[in-house]
Amino acid sequence: MQADFEKTLQERKAEGLFRERKIFSPQTDGLVDFASSDYLGLSQHPLVKKACIEGVERFGVGSGGSAMVSGYHVAHQALEEKVAEFVGKERAILFPSGYGANLGIINALSNHVEGIFQDKNNHASLLDGAKLSQIPMRRYLHNDCHSLRLKLQGWKHKKVLIGTESVFSMEGDIAPLVALQEMLDVEQHLLMIDDAHGFGVLGAGRGCLQEYSLSQVPIYMATFSKALGGVGGFVAGDDAMIEMILQYARSYMYTTAMPPALAWANKAAIEVIEQTNVVDQLWDNIRYFTEQVERLGVCCEPNQSAIQAVVVGDAVRAAAICEKIKQQGFLVGLIRPPSVPKHRSLLRINVRATQTKKQIDGLLRLL
Ligand SMILES: *Cc1c(COP(=O)(O)O)cnc(C)c1O
């Protein structure tokens, strides 16, 4: 068995796909961070840190159990209420991770739908959710409503779940959410939107439902782990939908609830978004970045989101460029298969509120 493992690992190295974790400390290494998803810099915000410390002092470190047994604290309840109101839904439920939230939604609804249709580029957590729940899955062409319509027409069953990301996590492009909502039949089709990269960014921070006036979308999922600078996922919807997830999601029941201090910090992060101009600062930088990309003719398709991608193609070449950029003092994300299709390795550039125009200029000059 050991020889098999070694062979597999050697093959991965030869393909340029071997992953190495580097200790991430941009501040101490003096690197400008264009890699983390902490778009608003809230993981370092004084009020968020203060809330986390206060949370530890009030509630301790761990939650102590599943939310169904002893892990549901007043901090969780407060965050659920806060986030539901913030995104404009009746009710919300928290998960320790966004990954678990996606597994839970699909799992909880699996006895009520006969299939799940997903965008070809959907996040692994959505795909894994379908596999784990053993519901038949079909994948439609990326951001292509026509492809989805054809697949739905060819499907003998009626009730289906349709899942898409809002802002796609690898390339930062945005799904045709309004067109999707309009083409679906509310009697038969349940639309779920994973807004991991839109929450805290779009709709003045309230997410894609606010940005595109999508009040009819029944299942809204997002995470506190990206723009909110914390950890954990949540689902928001009407009372019955959230109750279904609470009663039936195995990834809710059989896992320890998020640390209450983190729930407290996540709630403070929402308050910072409401009360300060951090989201405006981010958009100021996104606008500057995309304008400069057009002006300089950088090989990057500008997105109306915090994620900008430079598609390189070959994995080995992408890794080499990433390393060169790092030597010049900038950290960008290196994205390779299986996160993207073969021959579509890319540099993921996350625009963040705390970057200066000079730092953005510096990176663009290198590109
Ligand atoms: C990061 C991410 C998740 C998972 O969220 P975690 O909180 O990191 O587990 C789910 N969906 C998308 C699109 C993501 O980018």
Side-chain angles (χ1 to χ4, degrees):
M1 195 88 90
Q2 181 132 10
D4 285 350
F5 293 162
E6 266 162 28
K7 183 163 164 280
T8 303
L9 294 172
Q10 280 308 331
E11 280 167 8
R12 202 169 175 85
K13 277 186 188 155
E15 289 167 331
L17 299 180
F18 195 77
R19 314 286 179 117
E20 272 174 295
R21 296 172 308 169
K22 308 240 166 60
I23 303 281
F24 185 79
S25 50
Q27 286 100 345
T28 49
D29 294 347
L31 295 171
V32 188
D33 174 11
F34 281 87
S36 82
S37 304
D38 183 16
Y39 304 120
L40 301 171
L42 294 182
S43 78
Q44 308 297 324
H45 195 284
L47 291 176
V48 179
K49 285 188 186 176
K50 186 163 159 260
C52 192
I53 293 165
E54 190 186 293
V56 169
E57 277 162 4
R58 271 182 72 173
F59 311 111
V61 176
S63 66
S66 159
M68 300 306 230
V69 183
S70 60
Y72 186 66
H73 298 231
V74 66
H76 299 105
Q77 185 188 36
L79 176 59
E80 283 178 350
E81 286 171 5
K82 181 82 203 173
V83 76
E85 181 229 295
F86 188 61
V87 302
K89 286 287 183 199
E90 200 173 5
R91 199 174 158 194
I93 183 168
L94 308 179
F95 284 77
S97 75
Y99 187 95
N102 276 337
L103 295 192
I105 296 167
I106 300 171
N107 172 218
L109 303 178
S110 61
N111 285 335
H112 294 266
V113 294
E114 295 151 310
I116 179 165
F117 286 62
Q118 301 209 30
D119 187 286
K120 197 118 184 42
N121 289 12
N122 270 358
H123 190 263
S125 54
L126 290 158
L127 306 177
D128 293 358
K131 275 188 215 162
L132 206 63
S133 295
Q134 299 180 315
I135 357 181
M137 174 164 67
R138 296 286 181 276
R139 292 169 79 179
Y140 59 91
L141 296 177
H142 178 52
N143 282 349
D144 188 336
C145 291
H146 182 64
S147 163
L148 173 60
R149 189 176 294 116
L150 289 180
K151 298 224 175 230
L152 284 170
Q153 281 166 1
W155 183 249
K156 57 186 183 303
H157 301 296
K158 290 269 180 282
K159 292 194 181 127
V160 293
L161 188 60
I162 290 126
T164 184
E165 291 178 45
S166 53
V167 175
F168 280 85
S169 56
M170 295 303 137
E171 301 200 23
D173 53 334
I174 299 179
L177 298 173
V178 175
L180 271 174
Q181 177 177 258
E182 278 170 6
M183 70 167 273
L184 297 176
D185 171 355
V186 289
E187 294 297 316
Q188 300 180 12
H189 305 142
L190 271 177
L191 178 60
M192 69 176 282
I193 298 182
D194 175 340
D195 199 30
H197 298 275
F199 183 57
V201 176
L202 301 175
R206 291 166 189 269
C208 69
L209 300 185
Q210 310 292 317
E211 175 86 27
Y212 302 109
S213 306
L214 296 167
S215 57
Q216 305 304 313
V217 172
I219 310 166
Y220 176 81
M221 172 272 172
T223 77
F224 299 104
S225 54
K226 309 282 162 67
L228 279 278
V231 71
F234 71 92
V235 189
D238 69 15
D239 183 51
M241 178 64 71
I242 299 307
E243 197 60 41
M244 277 297 293
I245 294 169
L246 197 160
Q247 297 297 328
Y248 292 101
R250 293 167 65 83
S251 64
Y252 187 69
M253 229 174 294
Y254 300 109
T255 195
T256 300
M258 94 174 39
L262 262 303
W264 210 237
N266 290 336
K267 181 166 153 286
I270 297 177
E271 286 157 2
V272 170
I273 290 175
E274 285 177 322
Q275 292 161 17
T276 72
N277 66 348
V278 281
V279 178
D280 294 337
Q281 282 169 7
L282 172 64
W283 278 98
D284 201 40
N285 279 349
I286 294 172
R287 262 189 301 275
Y288 184 74
F289 186 97
T290 55
E291 278 164 18
Q292 293 302 98
V293 158
E294 306 251 9
R295 208 174 65 78
L296 301 171
V298 176
C299 47
C300 167
E301 194 73 43
N303 291 318
Q304 287 305 304
S305 73
I307 302 175
Q308 310 291 333
V310 175
V311 178
V312 175
D314 179 62
V316 177
R317 185 150 175 266
I321 297 174
C322 189
E323 186 52 38
K324 250 193 178 149
I325 290 175
K326 190 172 170 197
Q327 282 161 12
Q328 301 294 318
F330 297 89
L331 212 51
V332 302
L334 170 62
I335 311 289
R336 291 171 287 180
S339 307
V340 285
K342 259 191 184 156
H343 311 302
R344 210 170 161 80
S345 290
L346 56 91
L347 306 178
R348 183 172 65 185
I349 296 163
N350 287 346
V351 180
R352 302 174 56 250
T354 52
Q355 292 153 353
T356 64
K357 305 271 189 301
K358 209 170 141 215
Q359 290 171 332
I360 293 173
D361 286 338
L363 177 65
L364 285 172
R365 213 172 304 123
L366 287 176
L367 291 172

